[in-house]
Amino acid sequence: MKKSLIHIIFSLLLSSTIVSAQISPGDLSQSHADLEGMSNCTLCHDLGEKVSNKKCLDCHDDIQSLLNASKGYHSDLSVKNKDCFECHSDHHGRKFDMVRFDEDNFNHNKTGYELEGKHEVIDCRECHVSDFIEDKEIKKRKNTFLGLDDECLACHDDFHQNTLSETDCLACHDLEAFKPAPRFDHDEADFVLKEKHIEVDCVECHEMSTKNGMEFQNFSNVAFEDCKSCHEDPHQNKIQGKCIQCHNETSFSTFIGKGRFNHSVSGFDLKGKHTSIDCFACHKETSDPLLVFQDKSNTEESNCIACHTDQHEGKYDLNCAKCHNEKSFLSLNNMDFFDHSIPDYHLEGKHLEVDCKECHVGRFSAPLEYASCNSCHDDYHRGEFTKNEVTPDCIECHSLENGFDYSLFTIEQHQESAFVLDGAHVATPCFACHIDEREDRWTFVDLGVNCKDCHEDEHNASLDATYFNNEPYKCSICHVNDAWSVINFDHDFTEWPLDGKHVDVACKECHFDITAENTLSNVEFKSLDGQCMSCHENIHDETFAIDGVTDCNRCHVTDSWYPKKFDHNSTAFPLDGKHKEVACKECHESVDDDGQIVIVYKTGKLECIDCH
């Protein structure tokens, strides 16, 4: 009885094995391998029916979601009405690829995203890469075509670096090329182009620069309130007011200023008869921008004889305005004032505001010495300008019109001093160097001419003194006067000359430590070595280490990460025959337990049977 029962059980097991082999058409693909086995058939199949689309979509719910939203390739009617197995059949073995189609003849319009312009000729996998997929779960899938967004910035870097309010790239660009931007209409911008501005190349106003280590062209917050925001002032700031009062965009030489120019900004208000007179009745006609309207500069309104003949032949005060006004020479003002020209000392500028008793301490009739400024004023400069016991008069640098707070000393004169101004020093305000903060006063001597005399050493001994050419604080070996951020250092001077991609790397990438808040935490120049792993992550771990050291230079060069020096024939498995045509990843790529792609170079597979 016992032997008969064992025989029956064995017969049943043998029969089950034979039936299973007859029913299953073959092994499932790798992606469905977890569904292998007779007990799992109904997960995909309905008994007596074909493979159920509903069961496919129960598992592939991302496709079902796209169908519900009428999006993607599978929602196209020509695809939607098909059975899943028509395109994605299985039971053809583990290595069978269920996602197969003719990429060259694929109708991309069915996906809902029409390929136009440059998109028509680009290889599918230029776009369908995990870097452009936002969904974390879809991103893990290998060679998937799902998960892409059709926004331009989903695949392309934002050249404008979030500086434009318009985020739709196609508002300005088309799909043929990034440049030019044929859909952009400058008439819709805050600054409408007219006349000569239409002919100007964009880059003349929208400068190219580098921002966040990338090429950048600024199209926002470009100042245009006045012409001088973009154009040099040919009048060198000698004529105040906005340019459009006298000029238009047709030509700079076209003058439209008559009746439009605000003459008050010149310090000479036009009143009365002056308002109706032609400009060139007072000013000489010239096309020289440095001379036009400058022949009467600094002419006080009261200095009538600068233009008019003194009808009184010098018998009275030459300040005609004390008596006359612009309505008519026959119209007189209130004469209740003292004519200071009588004592032969004309009051001008700031002296007009001084109370009489400030100068006339005693009797008004007592004579005063006024041959020079220091007859009344103390030497503020405490003898700094005294040479050979002679102190120059204040009028060499100061004027009565503007007072002692204003200096006539020019940049041209400064260029003749021991410290010639250039670069950013030209734009530096005088007080930045010449005000002694300890005494809160202006000083002009013994300021020094070396960088360290004004600037602190920002490097704090982080820079080897060798690079000062044995002359401490000679900052010019790296810096220029235009800006501290502009570096002009010759790296060939070091023991580590730059070549390949290193030439394009910004200094801060190697020499600066940046915090998470994007602030500078440390600067180091002298303790860096030339080992690749000092800056770059060793993705190979100890795979290629010799005596514990991985020398990247054995395979790589500096102009790219591609291992140009690597020779597979020097390994234990030289490539010959068809092996030369096999892509590296076919042998050196695997998937770990987390589904991540791992590149294994030393596979230990040297025999045919290991791979085939």
Side-chain angles (χ1 to χ4, degrees):
M1 181 65 181
K2 183 176 181 181
K3 182 176 181 181
S4 176
L5 179 60
I6 292 174
H7 176 74
I8 293 172
I9 293 173
F10 178 77
S11 298
L12 289 174
L13 289 174
L14 180 60
S15 174
S16 175
T17 301
I18 295 172
V19 171
S20 175
Q22 292 175 338
I23 292 177
S24 176
D27 291 338
L28 293 173
S29 64
Q30 183 61 44
S31 57
H32 285 163
D34 59 329
L35 302 177
E36 194 73 73
M38 292 289 292
S39 61
N40 293 327
C41 295
T42 55
L43 294 178
C44 298
H45 298 274
D46 288 327
L47 294 177
E49 300 290 341
K50 62 184 179 181
V51 177
S52 169
N53 286 351
K54 181 180 183 305
K55 290 190 176 184
C56 293
L57 295 175
D58 284 342
C59 285
H60 298 279
D61 53 358
D62 46 359
I63 302 297
Q64 182 64 67
S65 297
L66 290 171
L67 289 172
N68 294 340
S70 295
K71 292 182 178 180
Y73 174 74
H74 294 90
S75 66
D76 186 83
L77 289 177
S78 64
V79 180
K80 186 177 182 179
N81 293 330
K82 290 183 177 182
D83 289 315
C84 301
F85 66 81
E86 290 186 47
C87 298
H88 307 292
S89 62
D90 207 338
H91 287 291
H92 302 294
R94 287 287 190 267
K95 295 185 178 181
F96 181 74
D97 185 5
M98 293 182 65
V99 182
R100 294 177 296 110
F101 59 93
D102 185 354
E103 294 183 8
D104 295 332
N105 297 308
F106 178 70
N107 185 358
H108 206 283
N109 294 348
K110 293 183 178 182
T111 68
Y113 187 82
E114 182 180 357
L115 297 182
E116 303 171 79
K118 292 297 183 181
H119 285 163
E120 287 186 296
V121 297
I122 197 170
D123 183 76
C124 305
R125 285 170 179 78
E126 290 292 321
C127 296
H128 292 283
V129 293
S130 60
D131 291 344
F132 301 153
I133 299 175
E134 185 175 356
D135 189 288
K136 294 181 179 179
E137 293 302 318
I138 298 178
K139 193 180 186 76
K140 295 178 181 179
R141 299 180 186 177
K142 180 180 179 182
N143 299 327
T144 183
F145 291 91
L146 298 177
L148 289 189
D149 194 339
D150 59 2
E151 295 294 332
C152 301
L153 296 182
C155 297
H156 300 277
D157 291 333
D158 182 7
F159 175 83
H160 304 291
Q161 299 193 39
N162 202 31
T163 58
L164 299 183
S165 57
E166 177 62 69
T167 58
D168 181 13
C169 305
L170 295 177
C172 299
H173 303 276
D174 60 19
L175 297 175
E176 294 298 333
F178 182 72
K179 296 179 180 180
R183 296 176 180 173
F184 174 72
D185 184 0
H186 214 292
D187 289 345
E188 297 179 3
D190 293 335
F191 186 80
V192 178
L193 299 181
K194 302 176 183 176
E195 304 295 343
K196 291 294 184 181
H197 281 153
I198 298 175
E199 305 170 9
V200 177
D201 188 4
C202 306
V203 75
E204 293 296 322
C205 299
H206 300 285
E207 297 180 350
M208 297 296 300
S209 63
T210 299
K211 183 177 180 181
N212 297 323
M214 300 171 61
E215 184 182 46
F216 178 76
Q217 187 172 14
N218 183 37
F219 290 97
S220 63
N221 297 323
V222 178
F224 58 85
E225 289 76 13
D226 190 24
C227 304
K228 286 179 284 190
S229 299
C230 294
H231 300 276
E232 291 186 9
D233 181 8
H235 304 296
Q236 294 186 353
N237 208 33
K238 292 180 180 179
I239 299 180
Q240 301 299 312
K242 291 190 175 182
C243 308
I244 58 174
Q245 293 180 114
C246 300
H247 303 281
N248 59 29
E249 291 149 311
T250 303
S251 171
F252 179 76
S253 59
T254 301
F255 177 73
I256 60 171
K258 185 178 179 180
R260 292 164 50 92
F261 178 68
N262 180 13
H263 210 282
S264 299
V265 299
S266 70
F268 194 106
D269 287 329
L270 297 183
K271 304 173 185 176
K273 292 293 184 180
H274 284 158
T275 59
S276 59
I277 198 170
D278 184 74
C279 304
F280 293 105
C282 294
H283 298 285
K284 294 179 180 179
E285 291 193 41
T286 175
S287 59
D288 189 337
L290 296 178
L291 298 178
V292 67
F293 302 127
Q294 299 305 304
D295 50 320
K296 302 296 183 181
S297 296
N298 297 322
T299 299
E300 294 183 343
E301 293 180 26
S302 59
N303 188 11
C304 302
I305 62 170
C307 296
H308 302 278
T309 303
D310 178 16
Q311 299 295 324
H312 304 293
E313 298 180 348
K315 294 179 181 180
Y316 302 108
D317 186 355
L318 296 181
N319 187 353
C320 308
K322 288 186 177 181
C323 302
H324 303 278
N325 58 50
E326 293 92 339
K327 293 180 181 179
S328 169
F329 274 110
L330 300 178
S331 178
L332 298 179
N333 298 325
N334 186 346
M335 303 300 291
D336 186 18
F337 61 89
F338 173 72
D339 183 0
H340 209 282
S341 64
I342 295 175
D344 199 27
Y345 187 81
H346 301 275
L347 296 182
E348 304 174 58
K350 294 294 183 179
H351 283 165
L352 292 171
E353 304 170 6
V354 178
D355 186 86
C356 303
K357 293 187 179 295
E358 290 293 323
C359 297
H360 299 281
V361 178
R363 295 168 60 91
F364 287 137
S365 59
L368 297 177
E369 176 63 40
Y370 55 83
S372 61
C373 300
N374 55 24
S375 298
C376 294
H377 299 279
D378 293 332
D379 180 13
Y380 172 87
H381 300 293
R382 301 178 186 177
E384 287 185 356
F385 298 111
T386 299
K387 292 183 179 180
N388 299 324
E389 298 182 356
V390 176
T391 301
D393 196 15
C394 308
I395 59 174
E396 293 190 18
C397 294
H398 302 283
S399 69
L400 289 170
E401 287 77 15
N402 298 288
F404 286 116
D405 291 337
Y406 180 84
S407 174
L408 301 175
F409 188 79
T410 65
I411 291 180
E412 288 75 12
Q413 290 174 284
H414 204 295
Q415 303 304 67
E416 298 176 1
S417 69
F419 189 82
V420 177
L421 300 178
D422 61 0
H425 286 150
V426 176
T428 302
C430 306
F431 63 80
C433 299
H434 291 290
I435 286 187
D436 186 341
E437 295 182 356
R438 295 168 298 180
E439 299 185 13
D440 191 22
R441 62 180 295 275
W442 290 82
T443 183
F444 298 88
V445 298
D446 300 329
L447 298 181
V449 295
N450 294 319
C451 303
K452 67 171 184 177
D453 294 324
C454 294
H455 303 279
E456 294 181 4
D457 180 8
E458 294 291 340
H459 298 298
N460 296 322
S462 66
L463 187 63
D464 197 309
T466 303
Y467 301 113
F468 290 127
N469 281 338
N470 296 321
E471 183 178 343
Y473 301 104
K474 186 176 181 181
C475 308
S476 61
I477 192 172
C478 295
H479 300 280
V480 295
N481 283 334
D482 291 337
W484 283 117
S485 59
V486 178
I487 306 299
N488 190 26
F489 178 67
D490 184 3
H491 216 282
D492 289 346
F493 184 63
T494 70
E495 296 178 355
W496 207 73
L498 299 180
D499 58 5
K501 291 293 184 180
H502 289 149
V503 175
D504 301 327
V505 177
C507 307
K508 66 179 181 180
E509 296 297 325
C510 298
H511 295 288
F512 293 2
D513 289 336
I514 307 298
T515 66
E517 292 76 24
N518 201 29
T519 59
L520 185 64
S521 66
N522 184 47
V523 177
E524 188 58 67
F525 292 94
K526 66 181 182 179
S527 63
L528 301 181
D529 59 38
Q531 297 298 320
C532 302
M533 288 185 295
S534 298
C535 295
H536 302 281
E537 180 184 357
N538 179 11
I539 65 171
H540 303 305
D541 294 324
E542 298 298 320
T543 301
F544 299 108
I546 298 177
D547 295 330
V549 177
T550 299
D551 183 8
C552 307
N553 290 313
R554 286 192 286 119
C555 297
H556 297 279
V557 293
T558 59
D559 59 4
S560 72
W561 282 116
Y562 189 80
K564 292 183 178 181
K565 294 182 180 180
F566 177 72
D567 181 7
H568 209 290
N569 292 335
S570 65
T571 69
F573 193 85
L575 299 179
D576 56 8
K578 287 295 185 179
H579 284 155
K580 293 181 179 180
E581 303 172 5
V582 177
C584 304
K585 67 179 182 180
E586 295 299 326
C587 298
H588 294 288
E589 188 173 276
S590 63
V591 179
D592 63 14
D593 295 338
D594 296 327
Q596 299 293 326
I597 296 176
V598 178
I599 300 176
V600 179
Y601 290 98
K602 292 186 177 182
T603 63
K605 298 178 180 181
L606 302 177
E607 301 297 332
C608 300
I609 195 173
D610 293 333
C611 296
H612 300 283

